[in-house]
Structure formats: C-alpha cells, structure tokens
Amino acid sequence: MGLLADPLWFADLLNCLQVWLREEPELITKELGTHVDKLIHVFSFARAASAQTFLKSLEPLVSIVQECPLLSVMMAEQGVIPSILTGLAIHEGSSYIRNQLLLVLLFLVLHCKDAKKSVPDKDKMVKGVTEIMLSATGRVKDISKKILNALAEK
C-alpha cells in the first residue's frame, strides 16, 4: 500500500487493486480500509503527478469508491472531499477528469447517505459543485445536478 504514495506507481497499483477487488472484495476492502489515508493521498496527485498518470488512476479510483461503500464513507469522514474539490478546480479544462472526480463525489455522497452518515464538508461541496454545474455542459452538468439533488434530500 506504500506505493499509493509514489507518484510513479500509484496508478498501476490502483489498477491492480481494482482487479483484485473483484476477486477478493472482503480482503481488499479490509486492506484499503486500514490504509484510507494513503488512498486519500492519491487525490493530491491531481496537482502533482503528470496529467497522463493521474488520468490513468481515475477509472480504478471511481470503481473502487463505487464498489466499496464502507471505504467511501471512511474516505469522506477522513477528509477526501476538499482534495477532490481542489482537483476539480485545477482540471477545469478537462471534462473527462471533472466527470470522473464528480463521479467519486457522487458515490461518496450516496454511500454516506445509505450509511446514515452526514456528508462532511457539505457546504464547501454544494458551493463548488454549484459553480461547476452553472458553467458546465453535458455529462459534467448532469452529474453535478445528481450530487446537488442527493445533498438536498433528507
């Protein structure tokens, strides 16, 4: 799991974890759960890693967050949301990156709601996602609306 902190290897490790998660979901969810901080650190590469490496990490990140509700809740509780919002701001010109990061936010919100947990940094998220929704088109706008609707539901 230490490779998640390595800007040269984190994307390859995430791809491996994504595949392994499908084979042994309990084991990988437990392992990732003990290293949530390292998984959260991956989002800091939105500004530090090469664009190509960060792009390579997005699909497995979305998949891992989607397939591991408990892990999503832990990530939200331990502060991943501001890092994702920063990534959204940095990659304003890339619809693909914004789409993937918004999907991560959507799954975090939905998993927190399913677990009856409050969504951390909700006010920051509403502000950031609203700004994106007002300036975006297509899928990015649609996902932004879904996030805001999920946050508005009680």
Side-chain angles (χ1 to χ4, degrees):
M1 291 299 170
L3 290 176
L4 285 173
D6 187 319
L8 298 175
W9 289 101
F10 77 97
D12 293 319
L13 179 60
L14 285 170
N15 279 306
C16 293
L17 288 170
Q18 177 188 19
V19 172
W20 198 3
L21 179 63
R22 291 187 184 124
E23 299 296 320
E24 298 186 71
E26 293 84 19
L27 174 68
I28 298 307
T29 300
K30 181 180 177 187
E31 186 65 26
L32 286 170
T34 60
H35 297 283
V36 172
D37 59 325
K38 289 179 175 61
L39 197 56
I40 290 171
H41 179 73
V42 166
F43 288 95
S44 70
F45 290 128
R47 58 180 167 263
S50 74
Q52 191 62 32
T53 303
F54 188 64
L55 280 171
K56 190 173 157 183
S57 72
L58 289 171
E59 185 180 325
L61 270 173
V62 171
S63 179
I64 288 167
V65 170
Q66 181 181 10
E67 294 175 29
C68 300
L70 179 60
L71 187 63
S72 298
V73 172
M74 292 170 66
M75 289 172 65
E77 290 176 338
Q78 292 186 33
V80 74
I81 292 169
S83 294
I84 296 171
L85 293 173
T86 299
L88 285 164
I90 290 170
H91 295 285
E92 186 176 353
S94 172
S95 292
Y96 177 76
I97 291 175
R98 291 184 116 197
N99 178 61
Q100 298 296 354
L101 290 175
L102 285 167
L103 281 173
V104 170
L105 278 180
L106 178 61
F107 291 126
L108 289 174
V109 169
L110 295 175
H111 293 317
C112 283
K113 291 178 81 61
D114 288 346
K116 308 284 190 254
K117 301 277 185 169
S118 62
V119 178
D121 298 306
K122 182 177 176 178
D123 294 338
K124 285 182 189 175
M125 190 185 321
V126 168
K127 183 179 183 228
V129 173
T130 300
E131 289 174 10
I132 291 168
M133 186 192 71
L134 292 174
S135 64
T137 59
R139 189 155 162 80
V140 169
K141 186 173 195 128
D142 293 342
I143 297 169
S144 298
K145 285 181 185 177
K146 288 179 182 179
I147 292 169
L148 293 171
N149 288 339
L151 289 169
E153 293 174 1
K154 295 197 178 199

